[in-house]
Amino acid sequence: NAGVTQTPKFQVLKTGQSMTLQCAQDMNHNSMYWYRQDPGMGLRLIYYSASEGTTDKGEVPNGYNVSRLNKREFSLRLESAAPSQTSVYFCASKGGPIYEQYFGPGTRLTVT
Amino acid sequence: GEDVEQSLFLSVREGDSSVINCTYTDSSSTYLYWYKQEPGAGLQLLTYIFSNMDMKQDQRLTVLLNKKDKHLSLRIADTQTGDSAIYFCAETMTMVANDYKLSFGAGTTVTVRA
């Protein structure tokens, strides 16, 4: 049982390049989330998916798109990366009796 | 995390108690959580409290909830070097029916000194 996995762990992009961050969970959870973490700002929700086939915007969706490919996988795409998107990105899924969110190890992205 | 506020840094001597404070805004939050993030890692749930409780104790951890003041605290007894981490307070906020998001504070970086 791997929990929530993310790839890649690290990535450096040039301004204007595109990339997709991958996330998968093996806990059969319906809800999945993408956050970004910036120093002094905590975690901010980018997009979420309450169930397979649905996605919704969070607090900071501009510059991102998502795909809920199936129940397991939820990907985040940067179409044209900008330096302001330099951050650590976390994927999470929600489940269990106390609605706990389980986090992946993160992707550290630098845009130059 | 603008709805949840917590101080950014705490330095504590090994063996002393640590107290991390948090204020939140949504009085309808069902659960309030404390997450721990060690360097280079994701967040892990440390403990939680249900909104109808005032206190919860779990080994070295004590969570106090003051609903009137919307104040949450985490006390770590006998703080050890392994407790050095960033601690996030989080509240539940309803998004749509049957789903909610977590609203996080900015995180308190706890440094344990010998």
Side-chain angles (χ1 to χ4, degrees):
Chain A
N1 195 343
V4 179
T5 56
Q6 292 183 237
T7 55
K9 286 190 166 46
F10 300 94
Q11 184 71 51
V12 179
L13 291 177
K14 292 188 186 330
T15 297
Q17 288 185 317
S18 62
M19 79 162 294
T20 300
L21 281 64
Q22 307 286 354
C23 173
Q25 52 93 9
D26 62 2
M27 296 173 282
N28 202 36
H29 291 164
N30 285 320
S31 298
M32 297 185 73
Y33 308 81
W34 275 106
Y35 294 91
R36 60 177 289 173
Q37 181 183 24
D38 302 291
M41 299 188 75
L43 277 77
R44 293 181 292 170
L45 183 65
I46 305 171
Y47 270 93
Y48 67 97
S49 171
S51 62
E52 184 179 351
T54 68
T55 61
D56 285 285
K57 296 177 181 179
E59 302 169 68
V60 289
N62 291 344
Y64 305 96
N65 284 301
V66 289
S67 295
R68 184 73 183 268
L69 304 167
N70 48 54
K71 194 170 186 179
R72 289 188 64 246
E73 298 172 289
F74 188 37
S75 63
L76 178 72
R77 183 159 177 82
L78 287 71
E79 289 291 350
S80 179
S84 60
Q85 293 179 304
T86 292
S87 188
V88 182
Y89 292 85
F90 289 102
C91 177
S93 68
K94 184 189 76 173
I98 62 163
Y99 308 108
E100 175 184 353
Q101 288 195 16
Y102 296 79
F103 285 80
T107 295
R108 283 144 186 84
L109 176 67
T110 302
V111 183
T112 61
Chain B
E2 65 201 45
D3 299 321
V4 179
E5 293 189 354
Q6 50 183 129
S7 54
L8 292 183
F9 301 100
L10 176 67
S11 178
V12 62
R13 193 185 307 272
E14 190 175 8
D16 288 351
S17 292
S18 309
V19 179
I20 308 168
N21 294 300
C22 166
T23 57
Y24 61 97
T25 58
D26 190 342
S27 58
S28 65
S29 289
T30 307
Y31 291 99
L32 293 134
Y33 306 86
W34 285 102
Y35 279 83
K36 178 182 180 182
Q37 184 183 30
E38 296 185 357
L43 279 70
Q44 285 196 303
L45 182 67
L46 191 62
T47 188
Y48 68 95
I49 189 165
F50 191 52
S51 58
N52 68 353
M53 299 168 67
D54 298 323
M55 184 181 86
K56 181 183 177 187
Q57 188 139 9
D58 183 2
Q59 299 183 329
R60 293 191 296 121
L61 306 177
T62 304
V63 179
L64 295 178
L65 176 60
N66 180 330
K67 286 194 73 173
K68 175 175 166 291
D69 295 336
K70 297 193 184 74
H71 183 266
L72 183 73
S73 68
L74 173 69
R75 178 177 180 267
I76 306 172
D78 186 25
T79 309
Q80 303 298 307
T81 54
D83 295 323
S84 293
I86 304 176
Y87 292 81
F88 292 92
C89 170
E91 63 172 340
T92 54
M93 299 186 74
T94 302
M95 291 189 292
V96 295
N98 300 319
D99 204 4
Y100 71 92
K101 70 167 186 173
L102 289 185
S103 184
F104 287 88
T108 300
T109 299
V110 173
T111 302
V112 181
R113 60 187 192 276

